[in-house]
Amino acid sequence: MKINIIEIEEEGIDIDFSETLHEPGVIDSVGDVVAHLHLDRQLNEVFVSGDIKGEIRLHCSRCLTPFQRYIELDINLTYLPIEEINKMETYEIKDDESNISYYRGEQLDITEIVQEQLILSIPMKPLCDEECKGLCPVCGANLNIQKCTCKKEEVDPRLSILKRLLERKE
Ligand SMILES: [Zn+2]
Ligand SMILES: [Zn+2]
């Protein structure tokens, strides 16, 4: 879904977005992702606010099992034309800089914005459950489902950090 920036009127426009997001290795939604957004414009500066809701397919970083997570986000972003990057004072970073993004050309790609925001909200290491027991490092069994008889070193977690630090020094 793309919006012509010039068509964003003074009083702003409301957008109802509903699309299935599917890009292998990047994002995979269960059914449609729905977003209600409001776009405002001041010359070539565009402000996007609203909410995004959807269910995303993820893989647990510990046990590798696929699972689904419902994500709900509020967004508040400013989009500037990409040409503005060059005009800015080099490395003069404003406090609210993190909410500034850039667009290219005369259109704003809403699908891309929604996708980007969802990806940013996904943890680096998603877990199917905070308590996920993961896989046995020896036999690969999923310890959430079965027990295995492999012998594991029982190390106090604090000691194991120390051990790792010592190993790194060597
Ligand atoms: Zn897991
Ligand atoms: Zn095992």
Side-chain angles (χ1 to χ4, degrees), residues 5-44:
I5 284 155
I6 204 91
E7 282 167 23
I8 304 170
E9 293 160 35
E10 207 172 321
E11 65 270 27
I13 53 168
D14 289 309
I15 293 175
D16 284 322
F17 172 95
S18 185
E19 277 180 37
T20 304
L21 301 176
H22 177 72
E23 226 173 278
V26 181
I27 197 160
D28 193 10
S29 72
V30 184
D32 280 357
V33 169
V34 174
H36 299 105
L37 303 173
H38 185 78
L39 270 57
D40 273 312
R41 179 170 69 99
Q42 252 174 35
L43 295 174
N44 55 11

Side-chain angles (χ1 to χ4, degrees), residues 136 139 148 150:
C136 166
C139 71
C148 66
C150 302

Side-chain angles (χ1 to χ4, degrees), residues 60-65 127-129 132-134 144:
C60 177
S61 62
R62 262 184 222 158
C63 70
L64 311 178
T65 309
L127 293 176
C128 63
D129 189 297
C132 174
K133 295 187 185 78
N144 298 310

